[in-house]
Amino acid sequence: MMARRFAASEHGSAMVEMTIVAPLLFALTLGFVDFGYALYQWNGATKGVQIGARLASISDPVVPATVLAAAAPTSVPGAPVAAGAYAPFVCKYTGSTGACNGNSANFDANAFSRIFRGDTAVTNDDACPALSGTQRPGMCHFLPGLKRSEVVITYSATGLGFQTRLGGPVPTITVELQTRTFQFFFLSGLMGFQQINMPSMLSTVTGEDLKTSAPT
């Protein structure tokens, strides 16, 4: 009698059902939060490369202006600098060392810092100082946790400017994010979510005065 009564009892069934369903429910809820944050990072990265490209177009070039000018042909003064007239200068950090085309001597760390951090103080790390007053933001202010090694700035000849131009050739500038992974709060240890790379994104603009004092 007692055995039949125990087998027919439904006491505690709701708790058992909740125990089974709760992990799935929590995973779905926290997953929505994490993917919402991933979308925020995507938007921040998109805005970051746009701001970086804009700053790069009105700032001192990361590859020294003298090096950039010397790369363009000078045999026919006044003639157009044709597309592909010089090899692109690819400037980036590898660890704590910055270099353009692998040459650290042709790399202006202060110019890179202005693109990365805006008008805030120059530091030799990935720090992103808070803005004050009328300081303009840099890339890192739109994508928290951004590292210098994830930013690639390329100066290339695309048929703009003319030989022996006083300010040097007019490059086309591309600012790109590479090797950036999405950051997840709750799913980072689940099913390899911590290894999901953000698709490479970039913004391309035409160089302007290429000097820090240029107006925006």
Side-chain angles (χ1 to χ4, degrees):
M1 181 70 70
M2 292 293 294
R4 287 197 299 270
R5 185 179 301 172
F6 179 77
S9 176
E10 295 185 359
H11 292 304
S13 60
M15 181 178 296
V16 173
E17 292 169 357
M18 186 60 185
T19 302
I20 296 173
V21 173
L24 179 59
L25 179 63
F26 287 137
L28 288 174
T29 302
L30 298 179
F32 284 131
V33 173
D34 259 352
F35 279 103
Y37 182 52
L39 181 59
Y40 164 79
Q41 294 174 68
W42 177 286
N43 290 334
T46 301
K47 188 63 176 178
V49 293
Q50 292 173 350
I51 290 297
R54 177 58 184 160
L55 286 173
S57 71
I58 59 170
S59 304
D60 295 326
V62 178
V63 55
T66 53
V67 175
L68 187 62
T74 59
S75 57
V76 186
V81 176
Y86 55 87
F89 289 93
V90 181
C91 304
K92 60 183 179 179
Y93 270 92
T94 302
S96 60
T97 302
C100 292
N101 291 353
N103 187 346
S104 59
N106 290 343
F107 184 88
D108 188 333
N110 289 343
F112 188 98
S113 179
R114 186 164 189 268
I115 297 168
F116 184 78
R117 300 185 180 86
D119 294 334
T120 60
V122 175
T123 59
N124 189 30
D125 52 30
D126 293 324
C128 189
L131 298 169
S132 63
T134 59
Q135 289 182 326
R136 286 175 290 192
M139 297 179 66
C140 67
H141 294 102
F142 292 90
L143 185 57
L146 181 65
K147 299 177 181 178
R148 296 178 300 175
S149 60
E150 296 169 341
V151 178
V152 180
I153 304 172
T154 303
Y155 299 83
S156 55
T158 54
L160 300 173
F162 54 88
Q163 295 185 33
T164 65
R165 176 177 177 270
L166 183 61
V170 180
T172 294
I173 306 169
T174 299
V175 176
E176 183 177 6
L177 290 185
Q178 295 181 348
T179 66
R180 173 77 181 180
T181 58
F182 284 107
Q183 307 298 308
F184 293 100
F185 287 121
F186 307 108
L187 301 179
S188 59
L190 180 65
M191 296 184 294
F193 275 91
Q194 72 276 16
Q195 301 298 328
I196 297 180
N197 289 325
M198 185 179 294
S200 179
M201 55 186 63
L202 53 83
S203 182
T204 300
V205 296
T206 300
E208 295 180 17
D209 286 342
L210 292 181
K211 57 184 180 181
T212 302
S213 60
T216 58

